[in-house]
Amino acid sequence: MTGPAQEGRKLRRSFGWLAALGVILVIAGIVGLVYTGLATLTSMLLFGWLLLVGGLVGLFQAVESRGSSFFWLSVVVAALNIAAGVVVIRHPEGSAEALTMFAALLFLTGGLFRLVGSLVVRGPQFGWTLLQGAFGLLLGILVLANWPESSRYVLGVFFSLALLFDGLGLIAIGVGGRRIVELVTDGGQGGEEAGAASGPASAGPFERSSEEDPDRSKN
């Protein structure tokens, strides 16, 4: 009986930590939406450090596999990641401008292709695809029209929204998981208690009948 109860407490604690992490991410996302410039700078620094650490790990793996045929390719890719990480960390504002321009071009071309494709194909999701294409095209035009000033808040807004929605998802998983574990553990304990309570009561009348009538029990 103590085993399932302990496992239930561990699961509830784990889901509780997951929900707490979700709350932290939600708070960080809200702060990032308020201070978009700080969120943009933070996202660029994180991106630079990820490139740098990934390049160092890739270089270490390339050295470990230096006898293989893809050794030089791994070295080149790791060196490019390291160089890009150093550039992004040393010049986060310029990197934000370049990435904002790249993101705007992606929105513009993606929205244009979806818009034209929806008009040509006219499939079952015609209206939804048309709306997505128009929204992407409009977003790309707005970002390009205000560039490079838009680089100060565009990436920060996207980064903050990602944190916000990820945090809400973790909160939903944590709260729902705790409720499911509580229902399972409470139902199992209730069934065991009911079985233990009904066992002697159901056996009682038969025992009394055999004690009252010894001849019947012998037969």
Side-chain angles (χ1 to χ4, degrees):
M1 295 177 62
T2 58
Q6 290 179 355
E7 292 296 330
R9 284 195 295 269
K10 289 181 181 179
L11 286 175
R12 286 196 296 268
R13 192 179 302 113
S14 300
F15 281 116
W17 283 111
L18 199 64
L21 178 60
V23 171
I24 294 174
L25 291 181
V26 168
I27 294 173
I30 294 174
V31 172
L33 289 176
V34 175
Y35 302 99
T36 54
L38 180 61
T40 300
L41 184 62
T42 303
S43 63
M44 293 310 302
L45 291 176
L46 287 176
F47 180 61
W49 279 108
L50 285 175
L51 286 175
L52 183 59
V53 173
L56 291 175
V57 172
L59 185 61
F60 177 75
Q61 290 179 350
V63 172
E64 289 292 327
S65 61
R66 55 183 175 272
S68 60
S69 59
F70 54 88
F71 167 72
W72 290 109
L73 179 62
S74 301
V75 171
V76 170
V77 172
L80 289 176
N81 285 332
I82 292 173
V86 171
V87 170
V88 172
I89 292 172
R90 293 189 62 181
H91 305 284
E93 295 179 357
S95 302
E97 293 179 1
L99 284 179
T100 302
M101 171 67 76
F102 182 69
L105 292 175
L106 283 180
F107 286 132
L108 191 63
T109 55
L112 184 61
F113 277 113
R114 283 187 178 181
L115 191 63
V116 174
S118 63
L119 291 175
V120 172
V121 177
R122 293 183 178 273
Q125 302 293 331
F126 168 72
W128 180 247
T129 307
L130 184 67
L131 181 62
Q132 284 181 331
F135 180 75
L137 186 63
L138 179 61
L139 186 60
I141 293 173
L142 290 176
V143 174
L144 285 177
N146 295 323
W147 190 85
E149 286 79 10
S150 59
S151 63
R152 299 177 182 176
Y153 58 85
V154 170
L155 297 178
V157 169
F158 290 160
F159 180 67
S160 301
L161 287 176
L163 290 178
L164 182 62
F165 287 113
D166 287 343
L168 291 175
L170 289 178
I171 291 174
I173 293 173
V175 174
R178 282 181 62 89
R179 289 179 179 176
I180 292 174
V181 172
E182 288 176 357
L183 288 175
V184 171
T185 55
D186 292 344
Q189 291 178 358
E192 292 178 357
E193 292 176 356
S198 61
S202 60
F206 294 101
E207 293 177 354
R208 286 196 298 270
S209 61
S210 62
E211 290 178 357
E212 293 174 358
D213 194 353
D215 298 332
R216 184 184 300 176
S217 61
K218 290 179 182 179
N219 294 331

